[in-house]
Amino acid sequence: MGYVIEPEAVVVLPVAGGGSFPVHQIYCVGRNYADHAVEMGHDPDKEPPFFFMKPDYGILHSGETMTYPALSSDVHHEVELVVALGKGGADVRVEDAMDLVYGYGVGIDMTRRDLQSEAKDKARPWEAGKAFLHAAPCSELIPITQCGPVNDGSISLSINGEIRQHGNVNQMIWKVPEVISRLSTLFSLRAGDLIYTGTPAGVGPIARGDRIVANIDRVGQLEIGVA
Ligand code: MN
């Protein structure tokens, strides 16, 4: 007996230099840059970063156009360094965590801020704010064997040519090996997992018709439209 329904195709990201990376789970880190925590009304010294997830249908490739989601009038951009795992693991030590990394991408954690704010106010889960079609645009991946570890470098996002977010990935509160180690104690990490590692300050609304361009030094560029 085979499948009783047709399985969905594996979601993939293109890789610089050729090939496709099969996407498994999508993890995201909340409030991992101090200036963004402050702009959202939190004290970055008092609160460790935390995690949430997005579905694989959040993936949108560079050059494509996202559909502005339903039931929101306040969708925000959050440009983030994406870490792609080539191996899984549990209880991974910080000093071993980089062994899991396949490469990096430039991603946007799209957020229905109005629905997220309502969830926060009512102490409800965040899925309605964070999980929807095209909620996780991501560039092609660059293998770490090509770019080396990305511990610092400019991270920026512009809309219609105007810079909205600009920071440096060295401003992360929890560094990539610490994020991977912590995630691996909470969840069962698998090859194909993506980790969106948090956003610097400057988040704000997108609108239909926008052209959004995000860049991270040595990683690449993501360019999407909104319809
Ligand atoms: Mn985020």
Side-chain angles (χ1 to χ4, degrees), residues 1-214:
M1 289 285 282
Y3 293 117
V4 297
I5 59 168
E6 196 62 36
E8 291 284 331
V10 174
V11 172
V12 298
L13 286 170
V15 175
S20 294
F21 179 91
V23 175
H24 183 245
Q25 186 61 262
I26 303 174
Y27 297 98
C28 303
V29 187
R31 292 176 208 137
N32 201 23
Y33 287 72
D35 55 356
H36 173 62
V38 169
E39 79 176 344
M40 297 303 288
H42 299 275
D43 180 346
D45 294 329
K46 284 192 177 165
E47 192 178 26
F50 53 90
F51 307 103
F52 56 92
M53 299 185 203
K54 289 177 183 262
D56 62 5
Y57 60 75
I59 293 293
L60 180 78
H61 296 151
S62 193
E64 295 181 339
T65 298
M66 81 174 273
T67 303
Y68 197 95
L71 299 178
S72 178
S73 54
D74 196 26
V75 175
H76 279 202
H77 55 81
E78 299 187 355
V79 62
E80 312 203 354
L81 175 69
V82 177
V83 176
L85 300 188
K87 298 176 194 165
D91 300 324
V92 177
R93 296 185 306 173
V94 172
E95 54 267 39
D96 298 329
M98 292 306 292
D99 295 344
L100 272 56
V101 175
Y102 171 79
Y104 300 96
V106 182
I108 304 175
D109 166 15
M110 289 290 182
T111 302
R112 289 191 279 215
R113 193 71 76 202
D114 39 7
L115 299 190
Q116 185 201 28
S117 297
E118 184 184 348
K120 287 179 181 175
D121 290 345
K122 295 181 176 173
R124 288 178 180 168
W126 280 18
E127 273 83 2
K130 291 292 194 177
F132 50 90
L133 185 70
H134 303 160
C138 190
S139 70
E140 70 174 7
L141 301 179
I142 184 164
I144 194 169
T145 51
Q146 285 183 36
C147 64
V150 177
N151 299 322
D152 75 309
S154 170
I155 178 170
S156 64
L157 180 142
S158 66
I159 298 183
N160 304 325
E162 184 181 312
I163 291 282
R164 300 290 180 87
Q165 290 188 266
H166 188 251
N168 192 304
V169 296
N170 68 14
Q171 296 164 334
M172 283 185 204
I173 298 169
W174 281 25
K175 307 304 181 189
V176 168
E178 296 168 321
V179 167
I180 292 170
S181 177
R182 179 71 174 176
L183 272 174
S184 78
T185 64
L186 283 165
F187 307 111
S188 186
L189 296 181
R190 306 282 176 86
D193 288 347
L194 300 178
I195 306 169
Y196 285 59
T197 56
T199 195
V203 302
I206 64 167
R208 292 172 181 83
D210 281 349
R211 293 300 303 173
I212 303 173
V213 179

